[in-house]
Amino acid sequence: MSLPSMILLGLLFIFPIIYSFGASFTNYRLVKGDLKFIGFENYIKAFTDATFWSSVKITLLITVGALVVEFFFAMLLSGLIVNIRKGQGILKTVYLIPMMVAPTVAGLLFRFMLNDDFGLLNVILKSLGIISSNIHWLTDSKIALISIMYVDSWAMIPFVFLLLYTGLSSVSEDVVESGKIDGANRLQIFFRIQMPIIKPTVIIALVIRFMDVFRIFDSIYVLTKGGPGKATESLSLLIYRTNWNKYNVGYASAMSYIMLVFMIIVALTIQYIGRDKDNLRRRKG
């Protein structure tokens, strides 16, 4: 009775992985041409391609920037709300609203808000006298990267907040009270008592968000399409264009697997660095 489900899972998940992995060792294109096995040529081409490394650099900048912003504000919000006795439900609902908006919809919304000429943000800043001329949020190469980080952070801070808040809520009140009795203030309780206890939750949130941000595509495609020029062309967008604009399936597949291996290595490194050393010592003991 489980055979139909296994076949469906195989067709949806396993077959595409095997198919794309095999294609990465060929010169396979969507247009007509002789299909040939070329070994590691696609992988060598990627490691010697300046465009590939440029997209990796841009992706890392967006990833690091977004993660710093998301975890800073998520920790701040979760630390504040967990100590509020009344109105927690309303505040949590308000903070989770951005997470309910689809990334493409959020991208379109901010595309209008950040428009150079009639965008709402420029209008507000001008009316407050903060700026005298329009800021090119999406057409200036340096500012465009910051705009993308902001949009991604706006949409995903609620997700990180939800994980951290859940972890903080599970911390025993007795532990917190013990800290207060010992004379610790709220910041000391948060950073020296609560955060070490929910460290596994923080690591999980960090790994999930890293993998999610590193493959960012939809927000960039809607906001800038990789522009101006290639200033915001992420690795996922480069792979998309290589596959569907240049029809080079083999090379796009190779870059996809390089991206996958890199994500796995970084995720394992984060988990290794954040492992609980005290528990490991106890188990060995």
Side-chain angles (χ1 to χ4, degrees):
M1 291 181 66
S2 62
L3 184 62
S5 299
M6 294 174 64
I7 294 173
L8 182 62
L9 285 172
L11 291 174
L12 290 176
F13 297 103
I14 300 174
F15 174 73
I17 292 173
I18 297 173
Y19 181 80
S20 59
F21 184 70
S24 69
F25 294 98
T26 67
N27 65 343
Y28 177 41
R29 291 178 176 269
L30 291 176
V31 294
K32 291 182 179 179
D34 295 332
L35 180 63
K36 294 180 180 179
F37 178 80
I38 58 174
F40 290 93
E41 284 187 22
N42 286 324
Y43 292 91
I44 297 171
K45 180 182 177 182
F47 284 114
T48 56
D49 187 357
T51 303
F52 172 79
W53 287 112
S54 175
S55 65
V56 171
K57 179 183 176 182
I58 291 167
T59 306
L60 285 172
L61 286 173
I62 295 172
T63 302
V64 173
L67 287 179
V68 170
V69 173
E70 289 172 20
F71 274 82
F72 174 79
F73 283 101
M75 285 183 181
L76 182 64
L77 292 173
S78 59
L80 289 173
I81 294 180
V82 78
N83 291 308
I84 295 175
R85 299 303 176 187
K86 294 183 180 180
Q88 273 196 16
I90 297 173
L91 289 173
K92 283 188 292 183
T93 303
V94 172
Y95 289 142
L96 292 177
I97 287 175
M99 194 173 67
M100 303 174 190
V101 180
T104 305
V105 176
L108 289 171
L109 174 66
F110 279 97
R111 185 177 176 181
F112 287 105
M113 289 180 62
L114 301 176
N115 186 274
D116 295 346
D117 300 318
F118 54 82
L120 180 62
L121 187 56
N122 277 335
V123 171
I124 293 174
L125 293 177
K126 272 186 174 181
S127 63
L128 295 174
I130 298 175
I131 60 173
S132 57
S133 59
N134 290 334
I135 298 176
H136 304 288
W137 298 105
L138 300 176
T139 54
D140 185 291
S141 58
K142 294 180 180 178
I143 301 177
L145 275 177
I146 298 174
S147 300
I148 291 170
M149 293 176 198
Y150 167 71
V151 174
D152 184 78
S153 299
W154 176 86
M156 297 312 300
I157 283 175
F159 173 76
V160 183
F161 157 76
L162 187 61
L163 291 178
L164 298 184
Y165 172 81
T166 304
L168 288 174
S169 299
S170 65
V171 176
S172 173
E173 286 290 335
D174 295 335
V175 177
V176 177
E177 290 299 326
S178 299
K180 291 179 180 179
I181 293 171
D182 291 336
N185 57 38
R186 288 190 176 183
L187 284 177
Q188 290 173 327
I189 290 172
F190 181 72
F191 285 106
R192 296 188 178 184
I193 297 176
Q194 292 175 314
M195 288 304 296
I197 292 175
I198 67 166
K199 186 179 178 181
T201 304
V202 175
I203 296 300
I204 291 172
L206 185 60
V207 170
I208 292 174
R209 284 303 299 141
F210 165 76
M211 292 189 294
D212 196 31
V213 181
F214 195 79
R215 60 185 180 86
I216 185 171
F217 171 80
D218 36 20
S219 298
I220 297 178
Y221 187 80
V222 173
L223 287 169
T224 63
K225 287 185 170 60
K230 293 185 178 181
T232 59
E233 186 178 60
S234 67
L235 187 53
S236 293
L237 187 59
L238 175 64
I239 293 170
Y240 170 82
R241 286 177 171 170
T242 302
N243 192 88
W244 296 108
N245 293 357
K246 298 180 181 179
Y247 307 116
N248 194 341
V249 179
Y251 186 41
S253 299
M255 287 192 290
S256 298
Y257 276 93
I258 293 172
M259 179 179 176
L260 175 63
V261 171
F262 178 79
M263 289 170 63
I264 292 172
I265 292 172
V266 173
L268 292 175
T269 303
I270 293 172
Q271 293 182 62
Y272 178 79
I273 294 173
R275 72 195 189 283
D276 194 334
K277 296 179 182 179
D278 292 333
N279 284 339
L280 289 175
R281 292 194 192 99
R282 292 192 197 100
R283 290 175 185 174
K284 289 180 180 180

